[in-house]
């Protein structure tokens, strides 16, 4: 453990988190930055004691004790929406000799594996006596001679980054991508319909990436759906919390509604009428939760209930905006994203949810709204909705 100017550093390392779209927010930028710093602080708490602050479009994450888990902090920082890149870095005095010596020590292992290198410098402190090109030339000359490595400005094995900032200079290797997007909490609140499939976890992730705080609603139909199916959905929600933060999953009993649909409605409309009930119930949950929109995992044309006409029939029963981030996305792209965010293996577990109960043999793909409304008019819609809401339970899910 070393210290510099009162800063305690774990192996000398700190994290530099670069802001993305937040920097374009004009007069609202300060509120976005404050929310982002707050979100980073919350995510860093399990990793140890850190000083976290923002300067010049960069969030600094500085360990304050020896037991800080820098590996966990690095991983967590990459999952915070609003951060576009994350770099491990070492601070040093804003003096050329200190910069060179720090680079020699910090990057010795990297230079041992490299045959060529280059130095890229950024001078955020315009009072520093050398410009960026001069810094790169000086540091590159010293490092090349010390490690006996050739410079290559076009295709180097190793790039050394030098940043001259307000208080210190910083040495680091290439940054890695962060989660991007906007800070959670700046895009309002929505309720996402979460099933056990591939689509809805990905759509929830995508809308949360735009700064939307989420609550989830899930429908259960025992005995047609199992406890394992519910556990699977709760695990999907838990996997999403590393990006979205802790959330509430509202669990709504759906058996009686589905049985009444099967008993009284034409088979080709089973799925559409079921989806209309889901939208009614989700909107009721959203209003109670002070949310302003619903989120679904629908993708245009993927199944019969997701044609243009079918989507129009489904959303006819809600006044809230229905956000469909996957609407133009191919299944192969959804699978790729599910793998990237870590939900794929859970989503493919063989526990069916209520969306697969009483699936019609020949579903209507070009439904007429008036025909569907007529078909469901034999049901006690208000009574079924009220009874389902009375049976609602909820679970708070944490990372």
């Amino acid at each position: 453990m070393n210290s510099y100017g009162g800063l305690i550093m774990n192996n000398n390392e700190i994290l530099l988190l670069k802001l993305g779209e937040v920097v374009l927010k004009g007069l609202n930028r300060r509120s976005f930055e404050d929310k982002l710093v707050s979100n980073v602080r919350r995510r860093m708490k399990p990793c140890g004691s850190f000083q976290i602050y923002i300067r010049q479009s960069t969030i600094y994450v500085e360990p304050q004790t020896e037991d800080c888990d820098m590996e966990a902090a690095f991983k967590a920082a990459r999952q915070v929406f609003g951060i576009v890149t994350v770099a491990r870095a070492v601070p040093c005095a804003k003096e050329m000799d200190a910069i060179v010596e720090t680079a020699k020590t910090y990057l010795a292992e990297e230079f041992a594996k490299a045959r060529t290198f280059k130095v890229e410098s950024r001078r955020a402190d315009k009072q520093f006596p050398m410009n960026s090109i001069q810094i790169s030339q000086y540091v590159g000359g010293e490092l090349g001679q010390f490690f006996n490595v050739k410079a290559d400005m076009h295709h180097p094995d190793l790039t050394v980054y030098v940043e001259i900032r307000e208080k210190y200079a910083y040495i680091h290797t290439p940054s890695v991508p962060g989660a991007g997007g906007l800070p959670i909490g700046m895009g309002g609140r929505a309720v996402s319909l979460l099933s056990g499939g591939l689509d809805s976890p990905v759509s929830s992730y995508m809308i949360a990436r735009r700064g939307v705080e989420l609550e989830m609603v899930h429908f259960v139909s025992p005995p047609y759906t199992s406890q394992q199916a519910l556990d699977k959905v709760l695990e999907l929600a838990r996997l999403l919390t590393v990006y979205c933060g802790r959330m509430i999953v509202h669990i709504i009993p759906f058996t009686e509604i589905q049985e009444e649909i099967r008993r009284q409605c034409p088979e080709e409309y089973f799925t559409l009428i079921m989806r209309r009930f889901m939208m009614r119930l989700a909107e009721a949950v959203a209003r109670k939760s002070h949310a302003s929109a619903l989120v679904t995992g629908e993708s245009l044309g993927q199944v019969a209930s997701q044609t243009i006409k079918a989507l129009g029939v489904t959303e006819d029963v809600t006044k809230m905006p229905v956000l469909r981030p996957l609407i133009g996305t191919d299944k192969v792209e959804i699978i790729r994203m599910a793998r990237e965010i870590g939900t794929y293996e859970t989503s493919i577990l063989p526990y069916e949810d209520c969306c697969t109960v009483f699936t019609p043999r020949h579903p209507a793909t070009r439904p007429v709204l008036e025909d569907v409304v007529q078909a469901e008019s034999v049901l006690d819609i208000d009574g079924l909705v009220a009874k389902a809401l009375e049976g609602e339970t909820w679970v708070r899910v944490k990372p």
Side-chain angles (χ1 to χ4, degrees), residues 82-95:
I83 301 299
V84 68
T85 63
V86 180
R88 299 170 181 261
V90 171
C92 65
K94 293 195 295 185
E95 301 168 358

Side-chain angles (χ1 to χ4, degrees), residues 103-398:
K104 288 178 181 178
T105 303
Y106 183 49
L107 303 177
E109 291 186 10
E110 299 295 329
F111 271 103
K113 297 179 288 185
R115 291 180 296 179
T116 60
F117 83 109
K118 72 173 180 178
V119 177
E120 288 192 6
S121 301
R122 180 172 180 264
R123 186 185 60 154
D125 176 8
K126 301 306 181 184
Q127 302 301 314
F128 193 76
M130 299 172 69
N131 64 33
S132 297
I133 294 176
Q134 291 170 331
I135 295 168
S136 296
Q137 290 175 338
Y138 182 87
V139 174
E142 294 291 318
L143 294 178
Q145 183 175 0
F146 182 80
F147 289 108
N148 193 27
V149 178
K150 293 182 178 180
D152 183 343
M153 298 298 106
H154 302 290
H155 304 288
D157 296 332
L158 172 64
T159 301
V160 177
Y161 292 87
V162 178
E163 297 193 32
I164 309 295
R165 290 185 165 268
E166 184 179 327
K167 294 173 64 178
Y168 308 116
Y170 296 88
I171 312 299
H172 64 89
T173 51
S175 302
V176 298
L182 296 172
I184 291 287
M186 296 305 295
R189 180 190 292 266
V191 165
S192 183
L193 284 71
L194 183 65
S195 72
L198 287 160
D199 301 340
S200 59
V202 175
S203 69
S204 298
Y205 166 88
M206 290 182 68
I207 210 67
R209 192 169 182 261
R210 299 310 300 162
V212 177
E213 187 177 356
L214 291 178
E215 293 194 16
M216 304 295 187
V217 62
H218 177 66
F219 302 94
V220 293
S221 295
Y224 307 107
T225 60
S226 64
Q227 181 63 43
Q228 290 98 325
L230 175 57
D231 292 342
K232 170 184 173 180
V233 168
L234 293 177
E235 173 62 11
L236 287 171
R238 188 194 67 78
L239 292 170
L240 289 170
T241 60
V242 300
Y243 299 98
C244 306
R246 62 186 181 183
M247 65 179 68
I248 291 175
V249 179
H250 302 264
I251 303 165
I252 298 180
F254 207 60
T255 305
E256 185 175 353
I257 290 174
Q258 288 190 286
E259 288 181 336
E260 284 298 299
I261 293 172
R262 180 180 63 167
R263 188 170 68 87
Q264 299 194 57
C265 299
E267 182 181 352
E268 66 266 28
Y269 295 142
F270 280 0
T271 301
L272 285 170
I273 295 174
M274 176 194 74
R275 293 290 297 174
R276 283 165 64 87
F277 270 96
M278 287 180 172
M279 299 300 278
R280 293 182 180 106
L281 291 163
E283 183 175 51
V285 171
R287 295 195 184 284
K288 183 176 61 175
S289 303
H290 306 290
S292 302
L294 304 179
V295 182
T296 76
E298 292 161 319
S299 173
L300 188 61
Q302 186 176 129
V303 294
S305 63
Q306 295 176 22
T307 64
I308 286 180
K309 285 186 174 294
L311 293 176
V313 168
T314 298
E315 70 177 26
D316 171 68
V317 298
T318 177
K319 295 181 180 179
M320 281 189 175
V322 180
L323 309 179
R324 298 182 173 98
L326 301 183
I327 195 67
T329 309
D330 294 340
K331 195 68 176 185
V332 67
E333 295 175 283
I334 296 171
I335 291 172
R336 176 184 57 78
M337 286 187 281
R339 292 184 186 277
E340 288 177 358
I341 67 176
T343 58
Y344 176 80
E345 295 298 335
T346 301
S347 288
I348 63 173
L349 291 174
Y351 304 119
E352 302 288 356
D353 57 40
C354 67
C355 294
T356 59
V357 175
F358 309 145
T359 302
R361 289 166 293 182
H362 303 290
T365 58
R366 296 182 179 180
V368 175
L369 176 60
E370 290 75 16
D371 294 343
V372 179
V373 172
Q374 178 64 33
E376 72 178 9
S377 65
V378 298
L379 303 171
D380 178 10
I381 294 173
D382 292 341
L384 289 169
V385 168
K387 190 171 181 180
L389 290 173
E390 287 175 4
E392 175 198 346
T393 58
W394 58 271
V395 177
R396 187 182 297 277
V397 182
K398 300 179 180 179

